[in-house]
Amino acid sequence: FIQIKEVQGSIDSDSAGPSSDLDQKVNELKNRIFEECNRLIKPDMKDQMPRKSTRPPSKIWKWFVKTPTTLMCLVCKTQLRNCGNTTNAAFHLRKHPFHYQEFKRQSEERFRPIGRQSGQHSLSPGVQ
């Protein structure tokens, strides 16, 4: 870490000198602080393991093929802009009602609580 007191002491002792010397020392100190902060905040990327997603892939990919810049609809072959999420694809799929309903059904199954049938909800055990 940077010895701030050491640098500040040298600035205090030279404060009687021209302001350009003081400005130079202040800039040197700022640069050293920024370098140290960047070194602490941004470790080498090779040391980091890639993060694994805990979320299963969206059901939308049954109807689309993804490239880095586009999404292609497998129903009508329309190409959409890939913005890094599934919003554009889901919105486009609405133009194909049969496929959109299937997508919604599969998506809802993914989030349905295990062990419950649709329509059964209880607030606490024994209360319906």
Side-chain angles (χ1 to χ4, degrees):
F1 287 97
I2 297 173
Q3 299 294 326
I4 295 178
K5 288 189 175 199
E6 174 186 317
V7 175
Q8 185 173 351
S10 66
I11 290 173
D12 290 342
S13 65
D14 292 341
S15 61
S19 66
S20 64
D21 289 341
L22 179 61
D23 290 339
Q24 182 181 359
K25 288 184 180 184
V26 167
N27 286 333
E28 287 174 14
L29 178 59
K30 282 183 188 177
N31 290 336
R32 288 174 60 192
I33 290 171
F34 288 133
E35 287 171 10
E36 183 68 19
C37 288
N38 284 335
R39 188 183 67 75
L40 294 173
I41 293 171
K42 300 177 184 175
D44 291 339
M45 295 304 288
K46 65 182 179 183
D47 294 339
Q48 293 180 356
M49 295 294 292
R51 295 176 73 179
K52 193 172 187 179
S53 175
T54 57
R55 185 184 307 180
S58 172
K59 301 295 183 184
I60 199 78
W61 303 120
K62 178 179 176 183
W63 293 276
F64 288 88
V65 174
K66 181 166 82 168
T67 69
T69 57
T70 62
L71 304 173
M72 186 179 74
C73 176
L74 296 174
V75 177
C76 66
K77 307 300 184 212
T78 299
Q79 292 201 356
L80 310 170
R81 191 170 83 191
N82 181 359
C83 295
N85 57 45
T86 60
T87 304
N88 290 344
F91 188 77
H92 173 80
L93 200 58
R94 288 181 176 193
K95 294 178 181 180
H96 311 293
F98 173 78
H99 298 283
Y100 183 71
Q101 290 302 318
E102 179 66 14
F103 162 66
K104 292 300 285 181
R105 186 185 64 74
Q106 289 182 12
S107 296
E108 288 170 0
E109 282 178 1
R110 184 170 125 199
F111 293 108
R112 188 170 295 142
I114 297 173
R116 290 199 177 187
Q117 296 176 6
S118 65
Q120 286 186 340
H121 298 285
S122 63
L123 299 174
S124 61
V127 177
Q128 297 230 355

